[in-house]
Amino acid sequence: MSMKTIGVLTSGGDAPGMNAAIRAVVRTGLARGMRVMGIRRGYTGLIEDDIVEMNLRSVSDIIHRGGTVLYTARCPEFKTEEGINRAIEVCRKHGIEGVVVIGGDGSYRGARDLSLHGIPCIGLPGTIDNDISSTEYTIGFDTAINTAMEMVDRLRDTTQSHARCSIVEVMGRRAGFMALHTGIAVGATAILVPEIPFDLERDVISRIHKTQESGKKHFIIVVAEGVGHVDEMAKQIESICGIESRATILGHVQRGGSPSVRDRVNASAMGNKAVELLENGIGNRVVCLVDNKIVDKDIYEALSEHKDYEFALHKIAEEISI
Ligand code: ADP
Ligand code: F6P
């Protein structure tokens, strides 16, 4: 039976494209005759009753904006029985029968718990890290790697002018996807990720020496935040190779900015799919991209999957960036 009222929230780290997803959820819900409630600050808003009814104009002028107009939060209280029970009470008070949760694996666990307690949820993959196991793509990844690439292109200008080595740390939490894609896009001499144990001499110093022999004078090393220690690495490279080195941590600039076409389009289609599922009375699912198609999976199944690092792509990078 079709739901009359649904909620939408964003949770965990924000990501460019979350607004496009919210817009799609609101517009699809309204088009199908539902009421749509915007839950602010993730699960915190659900517990504290920070909820506002959305209309067609609530989501005007947001498709091109980074961040999330619903705000986001990390909410430890939601992991407790009291927290969940309070959230259920608030849902009942507003007549919310189903919730679209836009976030990462952590947020999916919250969605699973809420579903278990009687409010069916649909998870949408929102994170710049691309580290959600059930899907090939996450909303925000494309924009973030493009931003990281542009930032490193800027670094390259100054690195090249001074014939230096730049060691750049990109985000990605415990995953190396952002480092790999950024590293390939900027032609980094070396890419270090947490999925592949590295040896500084073998994987960085000897590659610098090899490219020096063929005439290269400046070097970019891309390091995933899950590897870290970029300051120390810069010192070691400078002392071993005699090349002036600088460490740069790109940080939260990677999370902001106007979403790319890919993120806007996928977020729109995924948001639409989430509401379609709820409309058909289907909950406890996550929306994913598999073989470049938007599909849905059971939340339990999604959370138990493992996502492989792109080892083949990493090998290509090693072969051609020398
Ligand atoms: P992400 O969704 O990006 O992985 P977090 O791991 O910070 O981000 O999770 C976001 C929120 O989801 C947490 O603050 C918490 O409210 C909820 N959450 C995370 N893990 C769980 C869990 N095991 N059970 C219930 N809720 C969880
Ligand atoms: O998950 C997105 C992300 O930006 C990660 O890349 C990073 O590790 C983390 O969030 C940073 O979190 P915070 O915003 O709490 O510093």
Side-chain angles (χ1 to χ4, degrees):
M1 205 185 61
S2 178
M3 293 181 186
K4 289 192 184 66
T5 306
I6 60 169
V8 55
L9 63 83
T10 47
S11 165
D14 66 305
M18 279 185 165
N19 280 329
I22 295 167
R23 174 179 175 272
V25 169
V26 171
R27 296 262 169 95
T28 308
L30 294 173
R32 313 260 170 121
M34 299 171 179
R35 289 174 76 210
V36 185
M37 312 303 281
I39 302 157
R40 294 203 188 106
R41 296 181 288 132
Y43 294 119
T44 307
L46 206 49
I47 289 176
E48 295 180 4
D49 195 356
D50 189 2
I51 293 176
V52 58
E53 181 158 1
M54 310 292 273
N55 60 43
L56 287 174
R57 298 284 71 79
S58 322
V59 289
S60 293
D61 279 327
I62 66 166
I63 196 164
H64 63 294
R65 285 203 231 147
T68 159
V69 293
L70 288 177
Y71 302 93
T72 184
R74 297 200 166 96
C75 174
E77 210 190 329
F78 199 70
K79 294 185 191 174
T80 67
E81 195 62 25
E82 298 93 285
I84 287 267
N85 287 337
R86 175 79 195 118
I88 297 287
E89 272 174 36
V90 174
C91 285
R92 303 267 187 254
K93 176 184 157 194
H94 290 276
I96 295 172
E97 297 162 286
V99 178
V100 179
V101 172
I102 308 166
D105 269 337
S107 304
Y108 284 3
R109 290 197 172 86
R112 171 203 59 196
D113 291 351
L114 201 56
S115 299
L116 270 178
H117 284 75
I119 302 289
C121 293
I122 305 290
L124 289 194
T127 167
I128 62 166
D129 305 328
N130 204 27
D131 63 348
I132 301 181
S133 37
S134 50
T135 181
E136 287 157 13
Y137 155 93
T138 62
I139 297 164
F141 177 66
D142 187 60
T143 306
I145 52 176
N146 275 285
T147 303
M149 178 191 73
E150 280 169 27
M151 295 296 150
V152 181
D153 283 347
R154 284 160 197 247
L155 269 180
R156 178 199 291 276
D157 292 343
T158 165
T159 305
Q160 190 264 340
S161 303
H162 286 262
R164 281 174 172 164
C165 177
S166 262
I167 299 93
V168 195
E169 182 186 303
V170 301
M171 277 186 165
R173 202 147 56 158
R174 285 181 293 278
F177 299 108
M178 282 198 62
L180 175 62
H181 286 255
T182 306
I184 291 179
V186 301
T189 299
I191 301 170
L192 304 181
V193 295
E195 292 87 346
I196 303 178
F198 77 97
D199 174 85
L200 194 74
E201 172 55 41
R202 183 195 62 208
D203 299 310
V204 180
I205 309 286
S206 75
R207 290 180 71 85
I208 291 178
H209 284 147
K210 208 166 165 189
T211 53
Q212 269 179 320
E213 280 162 21
S214 58
K216 196 170 173 69
K217 294 199 169 39
H218 69 279
F219 312 89
I220 307 271
I221 314 296
V222 173
V223 180
E225 72 171 323
V227 172
H229 305 292
V230 285
D231 284 312
E232 206 179 299
M233 247 182 245
K235 284 191 192 116
Q236 282 181 297
I237 292 169
E238 184 158 318
S239 87
I240 299 170
C241 303
I243 305 161
E244 238 192 326
S245 300
R246 293 286 186 271
T248 305
I249 297 176
L250 292 185
H252 288 78
V253 289
Q254 297 162 93
R255 282 238 296 260
S258 184
S260 67
V261 170
R262 181 159 198 239
D263 282 334
R264 294 184 201 192
V265 172
N266 279 332
S268 300
M270 286 178 155
N272 179 268
K273 172 90 175 174
V275 177
E276 197 163 271
L277 290 167
L278 289 179
E279 190 193 17
N280 291 316
I282 302 167
N284 314 330
R285 311 285 292 178
V286 293
V287 178
C288 328
L289 197 77
V290 178
D291 295 331
N292 225 21
K293 286 194 182 66
I294 292 172
V295 297
D296 58 290
K297 291 184 189 175
D298 181 83
I299 292 192
Y300 285 93
E301 188 194 321
L303 283 171
S304 65
E305 279 182 36
H306 170 76
K307 185 170 192 170
D308 277 337
Y309 178 66
E310 295 166 283
F311 291 102
L313 194 57
H314 194 104
K315 253 190 129 35
I316 293 172
E318 284 183 334
E319 196 167 5
I320 63 178
S321 299
I322 202 89

